Amino acid sequence: DGDLQNDPVDIPRLVAKLDEGYDLVNGWRIDRQDPFLLRRLPSRIANWLISLTTRVKLHDYGCTLKAFRSEVAKELKLYGEMHRFIPALAGDLGARIVELPVTHHPRQRGRSKYGLTRTLWVILDLLTVKFLSNYSTRPSHLFGLFGLLATLLGGTISLILGIQKVFF
C-alpha cells in the first residue's frame, strides 16, 4: 500500500501458506495501528456482518495484503469496489482460505479514503455479493417464488372476477 502500513516482509509468509495447499491467504492485522472509534470499531462490525452474511469467516476482510493462486484470480468477477469481498467470492468458487497474522504499521503517507460515510456502500455491495452467491446459478430460487406467488394471486383474482361476471 502507498500508505506504508502493510509490511512487504509478510509477503513470503503469505506465499508459503499457498504452498501448504491453500488457494487464498488473507492478511489479518491483529495489532492494527489505526484509531479505534473511527477505523477499528466500524471494521470489526463490518467483518462480523460480512462473515455472517457470506459464511466465509474472517477477522479482517479489510486487509489488502493477500496472496492467491492465479486460477482463483482468473475466476473472480470483480467490478466497482468488490475487491473487499475477494475472500467471499473466492469461497463461492470453492477456494480453500486461511487467515495469517501480518504486521501493521501506523500510517506514514497519505490519508484514509475510508470512513463512516462509506459504510452504506459496503452494505450495498454486501447485498450484491449475497445475491450473487445465493442466486446467480439458480435465479429461479428467488424469482421463481415471486413468479409463483404472482401466478397464484393473478389466478385467484381471475377466478373471483369470473365468478362475479357469470353469477352477479
Side-chain angles (χ1 to χ4, degrees):
D1 282 348
D3 59 17
L4 304 177
Q5 287 189 284
N6 290 329
D7 198 329
V9 172
D10 289 320
I11 294 171
R13 292 178 45 243
L14 296 171
V15 174
K17 276 288 188 191
L18 292 176
D19 292 338
E20 292 177 20
Y22 293 101
D23 299 310
L24 187 147
V25 184
N26 196 79
W28 175 13
R29 302 167 290 181
I30 281 184
D31 188 24
R32 191 168 171 184
Q33 302 295 310
D34 288 318
F36 179 77
L37 192 58
L38 293 177
R39 302 282 292 146
R40 292 191 328 235
L41 179 63
S43 179
R44 283 186 187 170
I45 294 168
N47 288 321
W48 172 79
L49 186 60
I50 295 168
S51 290
L52 180 71
T53 304
T54 65
R55 295 181 308 261
V56 175
K57 309 291 184 219
L58 293 179
H59 293 93
D60 194 357
Y61 267 89
C63 183
T64 56
L65 198 54
K66 295 175 177 36
F68 38 99
R69 298 188 181 284
S70 63
E71 301 84 32
V72 172
K74 290 174 184 173
E75 290 295 318
L76 292 174
K77 307 291 188 248
L78 299 177
Y79 56 90
E81 295 188 18
M82 301 300 275
H83 61 277
R84 68 176 57 94
F85 300 107
I86 286 174
L89 297 169
D92 286 343
L93 297 172
R96 292 169 306 250
I97 301 168
V98 68
E99 215 169 12
L100 185 70
V102 294
T103 306
H104 191 250
H105 298 288
R107 182 179 299 277
Q108 295 179 27
R109 302 269 192 272
R111 43 189 203 114
S112 176
K113 292 164 191 65
Y114 289 92
L116 296 176
T117 56
R118 289 188 64 165
T119 303
L120 175 63
W121 302 121
V122 172
I123 291 170
L124 292 174
D125 287 343
L126 180 57
L127 291 173
T128 301
V129 168
K130 180 66 174 171
F131 177 80
L132 292 173
S133 294
N134 286 7
Y135 303 112
S136 67
T137 58
R138 49 192 205 292
S140 64
H141 286 201
L142 176 66
F143 298 114
L145 178 62
F146 291 124
L148 183 61
L149 291 174
T151 300
L152 289 173
L153 181 63
T156 302
I157 291 171
S158 295
L159 181 65
I160 291 169
L161 290 174
I163 290 171
Q164 284 182 348
K165 179 74 171 169
V166 172
F167 296 106
F168 303 107

